[in-house]
Amino acid sequence: MTKELLKELEREVCTRYDLGQYVEALQVAEKVYLLDAVGHHSFIANCYLTCSQARADNLLALGAINFQLRNFSEALFYNQQALHIEPHLAEAYSNLANALKELGDVRGSMQ
């Protein structure tokens, strides 16, 4: 795996998401997630600004993709994980609120 390949995967996630190809975007984003989960975080850290930012960005993408696929519980999970890494990530809070609202937790979505 090279730095260029990881950047290519990141671009593919964005492109497929922008084209509305959410299932395909999810498959690619999950590849990046699995690379991180199996201990390639040092490699990912060399490819992005920081390991934690790369992880948070991918978790944010996974949350957004799952939201579009109406997998609201998964969207909640990934956005919560992104917030554990980057507590000031405004987009994750917004996505979290939208997922909570879709799950019927209007009060939770306004906190």
Side-chain angles (χ1 to χ4, degrees):
M1 169 88 67
T2 64
K3 180 178 179 177
E4 291 76 26
L5 180 56
L6 192 57
K7 286 184 178 184
E8 182 181 323
L9 290 173
E10 180 185 44
R11 282 191 300 271
E12 186 175 351
V13 170
C14 293
T15 299
R16 291 189 180 276
Y17 184 88
D18 290 344
L19 292 172
Q21 299 173 346
Y22 303 121
V23 172
E24 294 85 355
L26 180 62
Q27 292 169 342
V28 178
E30 285 177 340
K31 284 182 191 177
V32 176
Y33 182 78
L34 289 174
L35 283 173
D36 186 42
V38 297
H40 289 87
H41 59 277
S42 60
F43 172 76
I44 292 173
N46 291 329
C47 296
Y48 291 89
L49 296 176
T50 67
C51 182
S52 64
Q53 183 61 50
R55 189 174 299 133
D57 288 347
N58 192 56
L59 290 166
L60 192 62
L62 283 163
I65 293 164
N66 275 289
F67 183 87
Q68 293 299 327
L69 292 171
R70 304 190 62 75
N71 299 330
F72 302 122
S73 294
E74 291 290 313
L76 280 174
F77 171 78
Y78 287 118
N79 282 292
Q80 288 169 336
Q81 295 304 307
L83 288 169
H84 283 295
I85 295 167
E86 296 289 333
H88 303 292
L89 195 57
E91 188 174 355
Y93 282 107
S94 175
N95 293 348
L96 191 62
N98 288 330
L100 286 167
K101 180 180 166 227
E102 290 296 326
L103 288 169
D105 186 358
V106 176
R107 181 172 292 194
S109 71
M110 295 194 293
Q111 293 181 359

